[in-house]
Amino acid sequence: MVRNPVIVVSLKSHHPASLLGLPGETPLLSWRIASSKSELTQIAAELQAASDDRFEVIVDSKLVSGSVQVEVPAPGGNLQSREVRFYRVRIQTASGWSEFSEALRYEAGLLDPNDFKGIAIGDDSNHSAPATLLRKEFHVGSAKVAKARLYMTGHGVYESTINGVAVAEEFLNPGWTPYGHRLNVATFDVSKLVRSGPNVIGVTIADGWYRGKLGFMSEHAFYGDKTSVLLQLEITFEDGSQALVVSDESFKTSQGEVRFGDIYDGSTIDYNFAKQGWDKPGFEDGDWETARVREIEKSTLSQRIAEPIVKVGEFPMALTKQSDRVLLDAGQNISGWVRLVVDGKKGQTVTIRHAEVLESGQKLHTKALRSAKATDQYILAVDGRQTLEPRFTFHGFQFADVVSDAEVVSGVGVAISSGTRQRSTFSSSDERLNRLYKNVVWSQRDNFVGLPTDCPQRDERLGWTGDAQAFANTANTLVDAESFWRSWLIDLELEQDEAGDVSAVVPDILRTSPDEDWITQGRAGWADAATIVPYSIYESFGSKQILTQQLNSMRRWTDALDNRRAGGKYLPTQFQFGDWCDPDAPEDQPWLSKVSADFVANAFFANTAAITAKVERIVGSPEQSDRYKKLADELKSNIWADMGSEAMSTTAGCSITLEFEICPESEREKVAKKLASMVRSDQGMITTGFLGTPLILHALSKGGFFEEAYLMLMRREIRSWLYQVDMGATTIWERWDAIRADGSIHSGEMATDNDAQEDPSMISFNHYAYGAVVDWICRNVAGISPSFESPGYQRTIVAPRPAEGFKFAEADIDTPYGELGIHWQISQNGDLVTNLEIPFGVSATLEMPTSEKSEVFVNGSLFSNGESLSFGTYVVVTTNPRLVRY
Ligand code: BGC
């Protein structure tokens, strides 16, 4: 028998394969195909759902015609609580049917709040108290355990063990969501931890976001002053019998060695308080108290759908002994903590502080942390060598110092992040550009800790929507962020107020009343995350689901803006964050950007209306689409007529005008020329803030001004991306001059009259917003872009724009269809030689940088630029390429 040349190499659902306890709605299936014959295409697919992995009991099956490979609703429809289904797919091509794929296992969680039979439990402590311990011993008979699941959530942050073994290597569960609306339930596979005889389930709860310090107003217990957990352990035995352990008053509570655990301030562990063996059977808990009944509203329970926070790297730290302390350097700015090994004696204290950079004299620069103490402390209980690690906290740091009578033996920087998989790589012949890319990768990891944050170090770490929208395209290029965003966007919608305004931070802890001077809801460029982020996810991953999920949120936000005009032409003049951190704004008033706040507000409104119109067209109603399109067009022509000339006086104004298509087609050239001339006269110096910077290089290059775009990208003097690299940055800074050429550190002073804030300064060395440039680098230096019309790279634009001086660049990206790779180099005779790897299902349109004398050859044959290539490996030679001279 001749083997079919096609195989389905993988099958996944729209939720992470690593998660159990998923929602019950019909999973959306996507698959990847490999073929030894490049001319084949999928003409149909057969999907099967079964209740066993051998597909003996088929629940349902379905046939889909055509080439669709992404987000196909699975047969069998919705799942019930705890239900496990297996899915597989085979595809038909001109060579017949392929074999079925390997099975995908999908397990639903406890979907009905009434499935939780227990109650929330905790103790009587208030914020800043030692972490709460909860334990319960239970007996399991001699039947063999077939499967055991622990369903769990909490107010606070929790860790749990069974018989002393951690149920998962995850941190800071249940993460941070608007707890009053939505609380994530995790499902852990504990089948291997439960055994016959006595067992113990042990839980530790600390303050976390729920009850710890939160935000820059020195607030505590924002969500409540009592921490608690709700859990349910379900054991199924091989003989079919079942056992259930639920949180209730049969749990005992006490406190142990974690005397303090706060996200901003750090953790204090006094090992003399450790209760040896408390989480194992046989421990005498007679003097422990009975757990207190607490309130967790069961209607807020929601199956988690995003990857948990996990360890993503380890950095052995260099040690320097100073007269009174030991300095440690991880060589990389990370989010996490130090795992310290010391040689000490019982009773000795070890204090470790953290900072991102050093001041002169090798001192930690802690001013940037504002009120966050970022200090871990240990009190030793034994003599000798021991490993110390904090709990229930994380710090944004590269350096740490240790003060102790104990000897510091070694330190390792442990980096944590949401477990979103890396999706791309980039490298080029320019080492500084490579370092910039790496710095952005790290800023992304460090700031995707449960939610997209502004920074990981100071008393902030909030889900600022402006930063998120600025960085969304880049984030989607770097990591498989679909599930991460999907989860956060649910919260964004939950936090929209009655008017439909989107908050400046999600979860929203900064809500202001509308009559205050400083309004946080519905601010231009921040609230627009509601439209810009889903748009970006759709383009990058091809997910219509995200558009359907967010359509109502988008409508509400667009309508809220429209209503705010109260029949007028424009939005009323109000506080706006504007082109935040415009380097020409007064340093202490970063909202006073050069570009007019009214222009920014109305232009973002028009852009949001235009996006909503496009999304309506794809997943909503054509009538609504027409309505929003009309609104967008009307706004644009008014803005251009009334504010166009003022907007053209700033680089941010021009960039927004071009990228949001505010001006008519006939005026684009004029605006682009004006922008290019300003960039040239500034010698490529950056003159834009958080809103303008992600747009400016695109605005230049789409107008054909690659020279000016490269001039900015490759500039090394201050106010540039590479200046930071030259200054030794390992992540992206919040301000271009965070460290001046003379080594002095920006004071970050802010003019605010807010008494609640001890130190209102603002300086961070790990803010990803300006890292948005990676999106441009991937599209133009490497030369691969997705397209909105055929999203998820189904149609990829291959358009490298090499600049003189570059010998090569390469990138690959894990598209929903498979790995897409590009490597180009300038050959000895000056040809541009591009190797392409295009996955099955993708069509790549070549837009090679040709000059008048160029010819393009694909695998040796003449090819017309602008045509497309399908699945396969290619060598594309462009003779006499047009190189960018900047
Ligand atoms: C944050 C920013 C944010 C801004 C808006 C700052 O404190 O760090 O990244 O977008 O405030 O006001």
Side-chain angles (χ1 to χ4, degrees):
M1 198 181 104
V2 188
R3 272 184 77 87
N4 192 292
V6 174
I7 51 168
V8 180
V9 284
S10 66
L11 173 66
K12 66 175 199 104
S13 85
H14 67 300
H15 294 304
S18 57
L19 295 188
L20 296 171
L22 290 163
E25 291 91 47
T26 308
L28 303 173
L29 303 179
S30 304
W31 54 92
R32 295 176 180 197
I33 300 163
S35 167
S36 55
K37 288 193 180 165
S38 69
E39 69 280 10
L40 295 176
T41 53
Q42 175 186 309
I43 48 183
E46 185 190 358
L47 297 134
Q48 286 184 339
S51 51
D52 66 306
D53 62 355
R54 284 187 306 251
F55 288 80
E56 279 163 6
V57 187
I58 305 282
V59 176
D60 194 11
S61 64
K62 88 191 225 188
L63 210 57
V64 283
S65 58
S67 60
V68 56
Q69 280 174 254
V70 174
E71 282 194 349
V72 177
N78 294 353
L79 287 85
Q80 309 282 321
S81 278
R82 309 176 184 84
E83 189 176 347
V84 175
R85 278 207 198 139
F86 295 88
Y87 299 103
R88 63 181 186 176
V89 62
R90 61 177 186 149
I91 70 145
Q92 190 186 24
T93 64
S95 293
W97 283 98
S98 71
E99 297 286 313
F100 273 105
S101 66
E102 299 253 309
L104 167 73
R105 186 180 184 285
Y106 187 101
E107 181 174 326
L110 298 186
L111 307 177
D112 183 337
N114 296 321
D115 290 331
F116 285 88
K117 302 298 177 207
I119 47 171
I121 52 170
D123 64 10
D124 280 334
S125 66
N126 299 325
H127 79 77
S128 307
T132 304
L133 303 183
L134 290 162
R135 79 182 297 276
K136 179 184 166 103
E137 194 156 330
F138 59 95
H139 194 85
V140 167
S142 56
K144 266 192 108 182
V145 173
K147 170 170 151 183
R149 293 287 181 263
L150 175 64
Y151 302 94
M152 187 160 183
T153 191
H155 284 165
V157 281
Y158 68 82
E159 286 173 3
S160 48
T161 55
I162 290 186
N163 300 324
V165 180
V167 303
E169 214 192 315
E170 298 178 5
F171 305 98
L172 304 170
N173 273 321
W176 186 13
T177 50
Y179 297 122
H181 299 291
R182 178 169 172 260
L183 185 63
N184 275 324
V185 177
T187 303
F188 302 107
D189 178 4
V190 294
S191 315
K192 295 208 172 76
L193 302 184
V194 176
R195 53 188 187 219
S196 311
N199 286 264
V200 166
I201 178 153
V203 178
T204 311
I205 327 167
D207 289 358
W209 295 278
Y210 189 88
R211 179 170 94 166
K213 212 160 134 182
L214 200 56
F216 43 79
M217 307 293 215
S218 297
E219 279 181 273
H220 276 104
F222 186 87
Y223 292 95
D225 207 20
K226 295 287 176 243
T227 53
S228 58
V229 289
L230 176 70
L231 65 83
Q232 181 149 317
L233 172 64
E234 297 188 356
I235 309 165
T236 310
F237 299 96
E238 280 184 356
D239 63 9
S241 61
Q242 292 189 324
L244 192 66
V245 177
V246 299
S247 46
D248 59 19
E249 284 167 287
S250 67
F251 275 67
K252 295 297 210 59
T253 182
S254 184
Q255 296 169 338
E257 71 270 27
V258 181
R259 307 311 292 166
F260 178 73
D262 183 88
I263 291 184
Y264 295 166
D265 284 347
S267 105
T268 301
I269 301 182
D270 185 340
Y271 293 100
N272 297 290
F273 284 88
K275 302 219 157 46
Q276 290 309 329
W278 73 275
D279 52 3
K280 294 192 183 129
F283 178 82
E284 192 37 69
D285 62 12
D287 58 345
W288 285 38
E289 293 191 13
T290 301
R292 299 288 186 274
V293 177
R294 296 276 159 241
E295 184 77 38
I296 288 185
E297 178 48 63
K298 287 187 183 167
S299 65
T300 63
L301 302 181
S302 163
Q303 302 79 41
R304 71 170 172 186
I305 52 171
E307 287 92 348
I309 300 168
V310 294
K311 198 203 289 178
V312 294
E314 294 207 345
F315 294 84
M317 298 176 86
L319 254 59
T320 320
K321 298 216 157 100
Q322 297 180 337
S323 55
D324 56 346
R325 61 196 65 223
V326 177
L327 183 70
L328 295 100
D329 177 1
Q332 172 62 52
N333 201 7
I334 57 172
S335 282
W337 53 81
V338 179
R339 188 168 66 233
L340 207 59
V341 177
V342 298
D343 221 330
K345 291 202 162 35
K346 179 179 166 63
Q348 283 178 332
T349 300
V350 179
T351 306
I352 174 162
R353 301 181 310 147
H354 305 77
E356 293 179 286
V357 293
L358 295 181
E359 292 172 2
S360 62
Q362 302 279 89
K363 292 216 159 41
L364 297 191
H365 175 77
T366 54
K367 183 173 164 38
L369 309 178
R370 296 198 300 230
S371 78
K373 295 196 180 74
T375 302
D376 297 324
Q377 198 166 54
Y378 308 93
I379 296 129
L380 308 185
V382 292
D383 294 351
R385 192 161 282 206
Q386 42 210 296
T387 303
L388 312 173
E389 232 172 328
R391 294 180 58 197
F392 307 112
T393 189
F394 71 94
H395 315 294
F397 73 103
Q398 174 177 338
F399 299 94
D401 71 11
V402 180
V403 173
S404 180
D405 289 335
E407 188 202 340
V408 178
V409 178
S410 65
V412 171
V414 176
I416 59 160
S417 181
S418 284
T420 46
R421 215 170 28 89
Q422 202 68 30
R423 187 188 191 203
S424 70
T425 60
F426 167 82
S427 118
S428 74
S429 53
D430 192 294
E431 280 309 321
R432 286 164 306 155
L433 203 60
N434 300 345
R435 182 66 232 193
L436 173 67
Y437 176 86
K438 206 169 162 199
N439 292 358
V440 179
V441 166
W442 274 104
S443 272
Q444 178 272 318
R445 283 187 189 143
D446 299 342
N447 280 299
F448 271 28
V449 178
L451 68 154
T453 61
D454 55 334
C455 58
Q457 74 299 84
R458 66 186 179 216
D459 55 357
E460 197 152 355
R461 316 184 201 183
L462 307 179
W464 283 98
T465 45
D467 308 44
Q469 70 79 13
F471 194 66
N473 277 348
T474 289
N476 292 336
T477 304
L478 295 178
V479 285
D480 194 350
E482 223 182 323
S483 303
F484 177 84
W485 290 125
R486 188 177 285 130
S487 177
W488 183 73
L489 285 168
I490 292 173
D491 297 338
L492 178 143
E493 180 171 9
L494 287 170
E495 295 283 32
Q496 263 174 282
D497 64 17
E498 308 76 64
D501 282 330
V502 177
S503 49
V505 293
V506 173
D508 189 3
I509 59 156
L510 297 180
R511 186 155 295 201
T512 49
S513 72
D515 46 353
E516 284 179 59
D517 296 343
W518 198 71
I519 313 166
T520 55
Q521 290 99 272
R523 296 307 90 198
W526 269 251
D528 299 292
T531 49
I532 295 174
V533 175
Y535 183 96
S536 171
I537 299 167
Y538 174 73
E539 183 185 73
S540 198
F541 298 99
S543 169
K544 271 194 192 166
Q545 182 281 338
I546 203 74
L547 301 184
T548 311
Q549 177 184 303
Q550 295 306 123
L551 178 61
N552 206 36
S553 156
M554 296 186 196
R555 284 180 180 155
R556 289 187 59 221
W557 166 227
T558 319
D559 293 345
L561 284 161
D562 203 13
N563 294 338
R564 208 193 293 167
R565 294 194 298 171
K569 215 162 148 191
Y570 296 118
L571 294 167
T573 299
Q574 285 176 325
F575 168 80
Q576 296 290 354
F577 297 118
D579 190 22
W580 182 259
C581 275
D582 172 344
D584 298 312
E587 296 202 327
D588 59 350
Q589 296 168 69
W591 56 92
L592 292 182
S593 45
K594 297 186 291 293
V595 59
S596 121
D598 280 335
F599 168 76
V600 169
N602 288 287
F604 270 84
F605 175 16
N607 184 52
T608 266
I611 293 178
T612 307
K614 285 191 193 176
V615 172
E616 287 280 7
R617 179 84 41 208
I618 302 167
V619 295
S621 95
E623 296 77 42
Q624 292 296 324
S625 172
D626 292 344
R627 181 170 77 84
Y628 288 119
K629 168 96 171 49
K630 193 161 160 263
L631 172 65
D633 290 347
E634 226 171 73
L635 280 162
K636 287 178 186 180
S637 73
N638 287 340
I639 297 168
W640 180 243
D642 298 339
M643 305 183 213
S645 52
E646 194 197 332
M648 271 182 66
S649 65
T650 62
T651 47
C654 290
S655 305
I656 291 170
T657 300
L658 290 166
E659 283 297 283
F660 294 173
E661 298 174 340
I662 301 294
C663 67
E665 189 60 41
S666 55
E667 305 273 1
R668 287 186 70 84
E669 199 181 322
K670 183 175 88 187
V671 184
K673 268 193 181 145
K674 180 72 201 300
L675 174 62
S677 77
M678 286 191 275
V679 169
R680 197 154 271 291
S681 67
D682 291 331
Q683 294 163 313
M685 182 172 76
I686 292 169
T687 54
T688 45
F690 277 26
L691 299 186
T693 307
L695 306 178
I696 191 164
L697 297 190
H698 291 295
L700 285 167
S701 60
K702 283 187 207 155
F705 293 98
F706 281 94
E707 286 72 13
E708 287 74 10
Y710 267 99
L711 186 68
M712 290 193 89
L713 177 68
M714 301 308 289
R715 180 184 160 96
R716 294 177 68 176
E717 295 75 32
I718 201 151
R719 288 213 209 163
S720 69
W721 288 282
L722 296 185
Y723 167 78
Q724 303 186 7
V725 170
D726 285 341
M727 292 300 284
T730 62
T731 42
I732 301 297
W733 300 344
E734 182 178 27
R735 298 184 191 246
W736 298 108
D737 55 351
I739 301 181
R740 272 86 173 228
D742 65 3
S744 61
I745 298 172
H746 195 296
S747 72
E749 253 26 273
M750 290 279 280
T752 61
D753 52 4
N754 168 14
D755 300 336
Q757 204 178 354
E758 286 167 27
D759 173 6
S761 66
M762 195 187 84
I763 191 78
S764 140
F765 302 87
N766 207 349
H767 251 65
Y768 55 42
Y770 289 140
V773 67
V774 158
D775 177 49
W776 191 89
I777 295 174
C778 288
R779 290 174 196 242
N780 296 283
V781 180
I784 40 180
S785 327
S787 68
F788 186 80
E789 290 65 34
S790 293
Y793 293 84
Q794 187 178 31
R795 177 162 168 255
T796 300
I797 315 296
V798 177
R801 291 294 176 266
E804 263 184 355
F806 278 80
K807 294 196 188 75
F808 77 91
E810 62 187 8
D812 55 43
I813 181 138
D814 193 39
T815 76
Y817 301 88
E819 285 284 310
L820 192 147
I822 185 167
H823 170 100
W824 62 253
Q825 61 185 42
I826 304 294
S827 72
Q828 296 264 314
N829 62 2
D831 291 345
L832 172 69
V833 181
T834 308
N835 293 74
L836 281 179
E837 201 181 318
I838 303 169
F840 193 104
V842 168
S843 139
T845 306
L846 297 195
E847 293 178 8
M848 304 313 280
T850 49
S851 65
E852 275 155 25
K853 289 184 276 169
S854 294
E855 283 180 316
V856 178
F857 296 90
V858 171
N859 292 350
S861 309
L862 201 59
F863 191 83
S864 56
N865 206 16
E867 301 272 303
S868 299
L869 297 171
S870 58
F871 160 65
T873 342
Y874 302 93
V875 182
V876 181
V877 176
T878 310
T879 63
N880 299 298
R882 194 180 95 87
L883 299 183
V884 180
R885 299 192 169 83
Y886 61 92

